[in-house]
């Protein structure tokens, strides 16, 4: 059974600082997704990572995937308040079944 | 291009009742998946429908069921509601199943069971 672990579960950052969220998973998969969720809202797709070594960047966020280590990272550069949200990684187990991590609550303080 | 729509957005039921939630996928998308989100269990996969057939199913009791219509719209039904069924139910649509495709989530239906 595929398990997905995220850490940290809660992250309080100062504006302008950098930090990384980690996503480990237990069985082989080469499809990993990052989503953002604002309070009371649905999931917004951030990144789709499909192969080992994949790296994608959008604004202050950069995601990478190492399928051999079964690890993905979401790096935040020079955080701003607008990035405050909950971030989920999800691994595709089979078909369209996504197994989600517990989520990382990110709070950016000014 | 319109996104995934879900109705109703909010629902209050009492224990023992049943409920039906609806999801309309993005036009052209044939796969619809359902997820339950609770503070305790997080996001959990319920089932996926593709071309009117259930392709995958998560570890939920038989009280949870679904179906998909020929226009790809999907419904999920929960019978004999329990307090623990209170959750945000999200559906996601994608173009196809089994190969790379991105899933787009709807706004969710917030179900409260009293």
């Amino acid at each position: 059974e595929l398990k997905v672990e995220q850490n940290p579960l809660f992250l309080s950052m100062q504006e302008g600082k950098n930090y990384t969220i980690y996503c480990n998973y237990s069985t082989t998969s080469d499809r990993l997704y990052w989503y953002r969720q604002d309070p009371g809202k649905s999931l917004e797709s951030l990144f789709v990572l499909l192969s080992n070594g994949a790296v994608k960047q959008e604004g202050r966020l950069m995601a990478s995937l190492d399928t051999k280590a079964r690890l993905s990272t979401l790096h935040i550069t020079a955080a701003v308040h607008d990035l405050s949200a909950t971030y989920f990684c999800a691994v595709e187990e089979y078909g369209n079944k996504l197994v989600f991590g517990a989520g990382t609550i990110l709070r950016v303080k000014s | 291009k319109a996104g995934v729509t879900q109705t109703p957005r909010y629902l209050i039921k009492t224990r023992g009742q049943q409920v039906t939630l609806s999801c309309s996928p993005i036009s052209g998308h044939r796969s619809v998946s359902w997820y339950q989100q609770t503070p305790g269990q997080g996001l959990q996969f319920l089932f996926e429908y593709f071309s009117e057939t259930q392709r995958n199913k998560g570890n939920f009791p038989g009280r949870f069921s679904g179906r998909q219509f020929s226009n790809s719209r999907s419904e999920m039904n929960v019978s004999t509601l329990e307090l623990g069924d209170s959750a945000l139910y999200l559906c996601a649509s994608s173009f196809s199943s089994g190969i790379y495709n991105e899933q787009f989530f709807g706004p969710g239906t917030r179900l409260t069971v009293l």
Side-chain angles (χ1 to χ4, degrees):
Chain A
E1 181 188 350
L2 172 61
K3 293 192 185 304
V4 180
E5 290 187 358
Q6 272 182 251
N7 68 82
L9 298 183
F10 182 77
L11 180 54
S12 181
M13 299 177 62
Q14 291 287 337
E15 274 192 334
K17 298 293 187 183
N18 304 332
Y19 211 83
T20 300
I21 299 171
Y22 297 88
C23 175
N24 291 89
Y25 54 99
S26 61
T27 63
T28 301
S29 176
D30 56 3
R31 298 176 186 175
L32 190 138
Y33 305 81
W34 284 95
Y35 289 92
R36 167 181 171 148
Q37 187 176 41
D38 291 294
K41 304 289 186 181
S42 187
L43 298 172
E44 173 191 353
S45 179
L46 294 175
F47 299 108
V48 180
L49 303 170
L50 297 178
S51 60
N52 188 41
V55 177
K56 291 199 175 178
Q57 182 162 7
E58 180 74 34
R60 301 174 186 275
L61 301 178
M62 182 174 71
S64 66
L65 176 62
D66 182 343
T67 58
K68 291 178 181 160
R70 297 175 188 165
L71 171 68
S72 180
T73 60
L74 180 66
H75 186 72
I76 302 154
T77 302
V80 294
H81 181 73
D82 285 353
L83 290 180
S84 296
T86 301
Y87 293 85
F88 292 93
C89 65
V91 179
E92 191 170 305
E93 188 170 35
Y94 52 83
N96 276 339
K97 180 185 177 183
L98 296 179
V99 178
F100 283 84
T104 297
I105 300 172
L106 173 65
R107 293 291 175 261
V108 181
K109 301 182 293 186
S110 53
Chain B
K1 195 174 189 180
V4 180
T5 58
Q6 291 186 246
T7 56
R9 295 292 311 279
Y10 302 91
L11 207 48
I12 299 175
K13 292 285 188 179
T14 56
R15 280 181 298 174
Q17 288 186 310
Q18 74 166 18
V19 67
T20 299
L21 312 181
S22 180
C23 173
S24 292
I26 293 170
S27 177
H29 284 192
R30 297 167 64 191
S31 170
V32 174
S33 300
W34 289 89
Y35 292 83
Q36 181 196 64
Q37 185 176 26
T38 60
Q41 299 299 317
L43 280 151
Q44 294 185 286
F45 174 80
L46 281 156
F47 29 64
E48 182 219 357
Y49 286 87
F50 178 75
S51 293
E52 302 179 63
T53 301
Q54 186 181 88
R55 293 177 64 94
N56 297 311
K57 190 176 189 308
N59 295 325
F60 279 83
R63 299 185 298 107
F64 292 82
S65 62
R67 60 178 174 169
Q68 187 180 35
F69 301 95
S70 58
N71 62 357
S72 294
R73 188 177 70 86
S74 177
E75 289 182 345
M76 68 163 280
N77 184 275
V78 188
S79 62
T80 319
L81 284 166
E82 301 177 359
L83 295 178
D85 297 333
S86 295
L88 179 66
Y89 290 88
L90 295 165
C91 82
S93 81
S94 61
F95 181 71
S96 63
S97 176
I99 59 174
Y100 157 65
N101 65 96
E102 189 172 359
Q103 294 188 49
F104 297 88
F105 282 81
T109 294
R110 173 78 61 186
L111 172 64
T112 301
V113 182
L114 303 176

